[in-house]
Structure formats: structure tokens, C-alpha cells
Amino acid sequence: MNAGLRSMLFVPGDSARKLVKGAGSGADALVLDLEDSVPASRLSIARTMVRDYLTANRDRSAQQLWVRVNPLSTDKALPDLSAIVGGAPDGILLPKTTSANDATMLDHFLSALEAREGVDAGYVRIVAVATETPAAMFTLGTFAGCSPRLAGLTWGAEDLSSAVGASTNRNEKGELDFTYQLARSLCLLAAVAADVEPIDTVYVDFRDSKGLMENSRAALRAGFTGKIAIHPDQVPIINEAFMPTAEDVAYAHRVIEAFASGAGTVGLDGKMLDMPHLKQAERVLAMSRRHKA
Ligand code: COA
Ligand code: MG
């Protein structure tokens, strides 16, 4: 069973060509998009295409199928959901949330639609894009326990800077400005506090594979468990970056062995290790097992 969300590839919901390409991309999940990559004039046809794609691809053992719907603050969200839940998407990526209330409200909509469509109750999971509005930044602590469907949180710098009225989200050196680094860190902490997966945002320069690898490795080191892709070429790089290396795995085994005596603090290679190190080692092995499966 592929339950991980290491690589999530965005596919515009109205592009038959990209749907085919996405299927062969090796992404853990596709995110069939009904929001910003679909022009308003194509939304209706995109809903039908996404629904048909979901229905035609019921076996999700190799690749999960998620859908990004329009924000709940718009009048497009309910028609989006109504059109696609019958196809039993593995999850909904919910953009531009303002607090966990959005996830709770989506949970209720999904419960009703699952009942109507004969989809198992609670099947459809949720990942919230939790930093796209300024108001959301002050409510990131509210996600814990908001819905058993919540599987992850991700963040975005593009919509936030446009909402703020910033002309760019980068500084002179090309690094993310403090406001957006804050969004990244708060998303990470909020996800961990809610016991769901922290998923890193897109790397927009899709021809720069070296930059993507560095950016993904930095995200893994920070604690993110996966990353969103916008181009199929990004998927193998993300999959590799978030797969613990052989050295990571070997070291994790040594850490676990060092704790075998039951002691709470041990020494390894001249360094003190305590419970957080043991937890981290178990996490590395769990990630490695999951992605090998
Ligand atoms: N999913 C599936 N297939 C994709 C893809 C994607 N996200 N992006 C590109 N492809 C396909 C192209 O259709 C093309 O296939 P073809 O050879 O059969 O024509 C191939 O991969 C190579 O594409 P390329 O020419 O390198 O890129 P492009 O100029 O066609 O597309 C983008 C560039 C950015 C428009 C495209 O990558 C895209 O649509 N990304 C997703 C955008 C999105 O969903 N954004 C919302 C979230 S931020
Ligand atoms: Mg957006």
C-alpha cells in the first residue's frame, strides 16, 4: 500500500496529455488541479475529466489520486467537490485556508458526499495549504485534532506574497524573505503538532535539477517528509531526496542498537544520544521501509 506523500505532482485537471504523462511519472500521488492552473472557461470540462480519470483509475496501489479544489471561500468549491467525490479521490488538497475550521467544514462536506456517492465513510483525506492567506498565519496552531481525515499540511509563498501586496517574496540574494521563511517554519511546526505530514512547497524553477535536489535535501533535514512537484522531471529528484540514504539507514540501525539496553541516554561515536535521537532513527527506518514497499 502506497500511503506516503513523498512526491505530489500537480497536473492541470483539463489536460488529457498531462494526465497520461503524470501516470507514468513515478509520483506517490498526483494532484489533479481544479484551481489556479485551470482557466475559468475550462473549469466545467476539467471537473468532468477529473471525475472520469478517478473513475477509470480505481487501483491506487501504485499512485494515489488527489484533487485540488477551489477555496471554500469561493462558490466553486462545492460544485468541484460534488463533481469529483464519486470518483473516490484519495484526498483533497485544500488551498487558501484561513484556519482549521476550513478542514473541519470540508470534513463535513465530504461525509455528506461520501454517503451520497457510496464511497466508504472517511475514505477521502485532506491536506491543507495552510499559509496562503495572512490570516492563516495566526491560526496554524489550530489544526491538531480538527479532523481524522487530515493527513498533512503544506505551505505556499506565491499566494501569500500576492495577498500581502509584496512585489516579490525574495531578497537581493534570491533567498525567501523572512515572512515566507516564517510561513515555512510555522507550517512545519503546525504539521508536527497536529501529528500529520509536513509537505514542502513547490520549487518553481523546474529546469534546475541541482537546485531542486539541494532544496529538497534542506527540506528533509528540516523535518519535511515530502514535497510538491509541478513537472514530471522533478519527481525522481524528490523521490530520491526524501528517501533516506544507505548511510542514513545504517546509522539509524546503530542508534537503535545503542539503545537496546533500555537506557535513556547512551554514547555513540563520542556523542550523547537521548530519546529524540532514538525517535529520529525510528523515523528514518520507517520512511525507508515505506518508500521501498
Ligand atoms: N504533469 C504532467 N505532465 C506534465 C506536467 C505536469 N505537471 N508538466 C509538463 N508535463 C508534460 C508536458 O505535457 C510534456 O509532455 P509531452 O512531451 O507529451 O508534450 C512534457 O511533460 C514536457 O513538458 P515541458 O515542455 O518541459 O513543459 P511545459 O512547457 O509543457 O509545461 C508547465 C510547463 C509549468 C506549464 C507544466 O509543467 C505544468 O503545467 N505544471 C503544473 C502547473 C500547475 O498545476 N500549477 C498549479 C500548482 S502551483
Ligand atoms: Mg496557489
Side-chain angles (χ1 to χ4, degrees):
M1 168 64 188
N2 155 28
L5 296 172
R6 173 184 48 170
S7 51
M8 302 185 84
L9 172 64
F10 264 116
V11 182
D14 67 335
S15 169
R17 207 184 169 101
K18 286 178 183 166
L19 284 168
V20 171
K21 200 96 183 175
S25 66
D28 288 347
L30 300 183
V31 184
L32 313 177
D33 191 25
L34 295 176
E35 200 210 4
D36 289 345
S37 72
V38 177
S41 61
R42 303 261 308 158
L43 180 55
S44 165
I45 189 160
R47 285 176 184 145
T48 306
M49 288 176 67
V50 167
R51 167 63 192 258
D52 290 349
Y53 190 82
L54 291 168
T55 306
N57 294 277
R58 288 288 182 162
D59 178 3
R60 312 284 169 70
S61 52
Q63 187 167 66
Q64 300 173 52
L65 298 177
W66 286 60
V67 179
R68 180 169 75 170
V69 297
N70 282 283
L72 291 182
S73 57
T74 68
D75 59 8
K76 298 173 186 163
L78 278 172
D80 287 351
L81 290 166
S82 184
I84 58 95
V85 168
D90 295 286
I92 300 295
L93 187 69
L94 186 64
K96 302 185 179 69
T97 57
T98 49
S99 77
N101 285 340
D102 287 349
T104 306
M105 199 189 299
L106 176 58
D107 179 317
H108 296 324
F109 291 151
L110 289 171
S111 294
L113 290 168
E114 284 168 345
R116 188 187 73 180
E117 302 288 342
V119 174
D120 289 349
Y123 178 82
V124 185
R125 294 184 293 154
I126 299 173
V127 167
V129 193
T131 69
E132 286 185 318
T133 66
M137 297 283 283
F138 299 96
T139 64
L140 277 161
T142 61
F143 281 93
C146 71
S147 161
R149 298 177 189 273
L150 192 72
L153 294 180
T154 185
W155 65 287
E158 309 304 326
D159 290 279
L160 184 59
S161 56
S162 116
V164 165
S167 57
T168 169
N169 51 29
R170 305 266 158 191
N171 66 17
E172 337 44 76
K173 290 187 213 142
E175 299 152 347
L176 278 182
D177 213 350
F178 176 71
T179 303
Y180 312 97
Q181 291 188 24
L182 181 69
R184 175 180 185 269
S185 294
L186 287 177
C187 169
L188 172 68
L189 294 167
V192 175
D195 199 21
V196 299
E197 303 218 20
I199 300 165
D200 195 25
T201 194
V202 297
Y203 187 77
V204 284
D205 192 352
F206 61 85
R207 305 272 181 235
D208 177 11
S209 45
K210 186 165 168 279
L212 172 63
M213 181 51 102
E214 284 167 10
N215 180 270
S216 303
R217 279 281 172 188
L220 175 75
R221 285 195 300 273
F224 288 94
T225 55
K227 189 172 176 70
I228 291 177
I230 48 166
H231 190 287
D233 290 355
Q234 294 187 316
V235 170
I237 298 167
I238 292 173
N239 284 350
E240 188 192 327
F242 284 91
M243 178 78 184
T245 63
E247 292 94 81
D248 296 339
V249 171
Y251 181 70
H253 278 298
R254 291 183 60 221
V255 170
I256 286 166
E257 244 162 63
F259 280 97
S261 67
T265 311
V266 298
L268 184 67
D269 304 336
K271 285 197 193 108
M272 185 204 78
L273 302 180
D274 54 11
M275 281 303 130
H277 300 99
L278 177 60
K279 268 179 117 173
Q280 176 59 16
E282 285 165 347
R283 197 162 160 260
V284 166
L285 293 187
M287 253 176 135
S288 163
R289 269 197 304 273
R290 188 164 75 193
H291 297 319
K292 264 197 198 119

